[in-house]
Amino acid sequence: MNSEYQMKNKGNQLLVLLISALVLFIFGSAITSTIAAIPLSQITKLGSDTINTALDLFARYYDGSLRIDGITWSQYAQNYFAANPILFDNIRSFYCSVQFLTYMPLVVLLGYCLRHDLVKDFKNFIKNFKSNLGIIGGAFIGMLALSGLVMSIYEMIGVVGESANENIINLLLDSPGKWLMIISVVVFAPILEELIFRKLFIDTCEIRFKLKPLFAIIISTVLFAFIHVSDLESLKFIFQYMALALPICMAYHYSNNNIYVVTIIHIINNFLSVTMATILWMM
């Protein structure tokens, strides 16, 4: 009875923490942007109206919808920033800072709230080190295989390009503030996303709502993919993110819900993606 009460209490705590983390994750960027816009106007010596216009146009940098004058928002935004290269660099650096200042505090906060789970998972990771390495390798191979399959299907049906989210990240990684973005993408984003979508979400589904692992894995995979699709036009790329999330969720299950296993997989994936993007810029 005492054990059942502890599990119920644990489930309730996870649910509250999950909801809080999702709210901060979704709205944290908007809150940070509002605060960071103050020093941005001082750095650029521009009025708030000009800054807001530039921020809005950057958000539409890959927007294929038409303006009333008949050209796409994407083309208009690219022409605007081509005529204002210094402003473009400042805006990109601004977004790099926003990403960093959004992710880093959330990682610290969740790390503190989940500190007991993290200590327990670390001990189990070391205890089952060899098997965990095997799970990491297997999951990564699975990611490569699924991603290759999705890309092949996309080529067969004529889907080309990348999602708006991916394009914006690449744009920021080629900016003056790229090192803040690299740290965010390679370190903080994988840690934060695994804490939320694996440690909190899957554990809440299994402990609080008594869902079978299969259903928790499916829901986590789909939710993770959806938060990486920033607009309807990019919805077609959702299967690329599902190809990343599904093997990670499976690894989480087979490692007995060990956060370090999935975080390492995610970090390796993002590190290789950033490395490949850097090599392409240098060519």
Side-chain angles (χ1 to χ4, degrees), residues 16 53 61 69 99 125 153 158 232:
V16 170
T53 297
Y61 201 83
D69 55 8
Q99 288 280 359
F125 179 80
I153 295 174
L232 291 176

PDB file of all heavy atoms in Angstrom, residues 16 53 61 69 99 125 153 158 232:
ATOM      1  N   VAL A  16       2.860  17.358 -12.872  1.00  0.00           N
ATOM      2  CA  VAL A  16       2.960  18.800 -12.603  1.00  0.00           C
ATOM      3  C   VAL A  16       4.227  19.365 -13.229  1.00  0.00           C
ATOM      4  O   VAL A  16       4.222  20.424 -13.862  1.00  0.00           O
ATOM      5  CB  VAL A  16       2.940  19.069 -11.090  1.00  0.00           C
ATOM      6  CG1 VAL A  16       3.281  20.533 -10.798  1.00  0.00           C
ATOM      7  CG2 VAL A  16       1.584  18.715 -10.501  1.00  0.00           C
ATOM      8  N   THR A  53       9.777  45.035 -37.040  1.00  0.00           N
ATOM      9  CA  THR A  53       9.617  44.689 -38.460  1.00  0.00           C
ATOM     10  C   THR A  53      10.671  43.669 -38.886  1.00  0.00           C
ATOM     11  O   THR A  53      10.360  42.675 -39.557  1.00  0.00           O
ATOM     12  CB  THR A  53       9.737  45.948 -39.343  1.00  0.00           C
ATOM     13  OG1 THR A  53       8.685  46.860 -39.022  1.00  0.00           O
ATOM     14  CG2 THR A  53       9.651  45.582 -40.821  1.00  0.00           C
ATOM     15  N   TYR A  61      11.361  34.299 -43.063  1.00  0.00           N
ATOM     16  CA  TYR A  61      12.466  34.163 -44.012  1.00  0.00           C
ATOM     17  C   TYR A  61      12.265  33.004 -44.989  1.00  0.00           C
ATOM     18  O   TYR A  61      12.734  33.041 -46.122  1.00  0.00           O
ATOM     19  CB  TYR A  61      13.781  33.979 -43.253  1.00  0.00           C
ATOM     20  CG  TYR A  61      15.013  34.330 -44.061  1.00  0.00           C
ATOM     21  CD1 TYR A  61      15.449  35.658 -44.162  1.00  0.00           C
ATOM     22  CD2 TYR A  61      15.746  33.353 -44.723  1.00  0.00           C
ATOM     23  CE1 TYR A  61      16.580  35.991 -44.892  1.00  0.00           C
ATOM     24  CE2 TYR A  61      16.882  33.679 -45.449  1.00  0.00           C
ATOM     25  CZ  TYR A  61      17.286  34.993 -45.536  1.00  0.00           C
ATOM     26  OH  TYR A  61      18.409  35.318 -46.269  1.00  0.00           O
ATOM     27  N   ASP A  69       1.367  42.118 -52.736  1.00  0.00           N
ATOM     28  CA  ASP A  69       2.015  42.616 -53.947  1.00  0.00           C
ATOM     29  C   ASP A  69       2.423  41.486 -54.896  1.00  0.00           C
ATOM     30  O   ASP A  69       3.065  41.722 -55.922  1.00  0.00           O
ATOM     31  CB  ASP A  69       3.234  43.482 -53.602  1.00  0.00           C
ATOM     32  CG  ASP A  69       4.240  42.758 -52.719  1.00  0.00           C
ATOM     33  OD1 ASP A  69       4.078  41.539 -52.503  1.00  0.00           O
ATOM     34  OD2 ASP A  69       5.185  43.405 -52.236  1.00  0.00           O
ATOM     35  N   GLN A  99      17.912  31.646 -28.053  1.00  0.00           N
ATOM     36  CA  GLN A  99      17.920  30.185 -27.919  1.00  0.00           C
ATOM     37  C   GLN A  99      18.746  29.765 -26.710  1.00  0.00           C
ATOM     38  O   GLN A  99      18.317  28.931 -25.903  1.00  0.00           O
ATOM     39  CB  GLN A  99      18.510  29.554 -29.188  1.00  0.00           C
ATOM     40  CG  GLN A  99      17.618  29.632 -30.417  1.00  0.00           C
ATOM     41  CD  GLN A  99      16.530  28.571 -30.416  1.00  0.00           C
ATOM     42  OE1 GLN A  99      16.441  27.763 -29.507  1.00  0.00           O
ATOM     43  NE2 GLN A  99      15.714  28.556 -31.438  1.00  0.00           N
ATOM     44  N   PHE A 125      23.452   3.682 -15.341  1.00  0.00           N
ATOM     45  CA  PHE A 125      24.170   3.783 -16.614  1.00  0.00           C
ATOM     46  C   PHE A 125      25.558   3.175 -16.485  1.00  0.00           C
ATOM     47  O   PHE A 125      26.012   2.430 -17.371  1.00  0.00           O
ATOM     48  CB  PHE A 125      24.266   5.247 -17.044  1.00  0.00           C
ATOM     49  CG  PHE A 125      25.004   5.450 -18.343  1.00  0.00           C
ATOM     50  CD1 PHE A 125      24.365   5.239 -19.552  1.00  0.00           C
ATOM     51  CD2 PHE A 125      26.340   5.836 -18.347  1.00  0.00           C
ATOM     52  CE1 PHE A 125      25.048   5.420 -20.757  1.00  0.00           C
ATOM     53  CE2 PHE A 125      27.028   6.011 -19.535  1.00  0.00           C
ATOM     54  CZ  PHE A 125      26.379   5.799 -20.745  1.00  0.00           C
ATOM     55  N   ILE A 153      11.825   7.713 -49.644  1.00  0.00           N
ATOM     56  CA  ILE A 153      10.394   7.863 -49.952  1.00  0.00           C
ATOM     57  C   ILE A 153      10.106   9.287 -50.398  1.00  0.00           C
ATOM     58  O   ILE A 153       9.347   9.511 -51.353  1.00  0.00           O
ATOM     59  CB  ILE A 153       9.536   7.482 -48.730  1.00  0.00           C
ATOM     60  CG1 ILE A 153       9.703   5.990 -48.416  1.00  0.00           C
ATOM     61  CG2 ILE A 153       8.070   7.832 -48.973  1.00  0.00           C
ATOM     62  CD1 ILE A 153       9.010   5.550 -47.150  1.00  0.00           C
ATOM     63  N   GLY A 158       8.751  13.145 -54.689  1.00  0.00           N
ATOM     64  CA  GLY A 158       9.084  14.509 -55.110  1.00  0.00           C
ATOM     65  C   GLY A 158       9.116  15.547 -54.017  1.00  0.00           C
ATOM     66  O   GLY A 158       9.016  16.750 -54.295  1.00  0.00           O
ATOM     67  N   LEU A 232       2.580  24.980 -41.267  1.00  0.00           N
ATOM     68  CA  LEU A 232       1.838  23.959 -42.015  1.00  0.00           C
ATOM     69  C   LEU A 232       2.609  23.487 -43.243  1.00  0.00           C
ATOM     70  O   LEU A 232       2.536  22.317 -43.627  1.00  0.00           O
ATOM     71  CB  LEU A 232       0.468  24.505 -42.431  1.00  0.00           C
ATOM     72  CG  LEU A 232      -0.545  24.734 -41.303  1.00  0.00           C
ATOM     73  CD1 LEU A 232      -1.817  25.369 -41.848  1.00  0.00           C
ATOM     74  CD2 LEU A 232      -0.871  23.414 -40.609  1.00  0.00           C
TER      75      LEU A 232
END
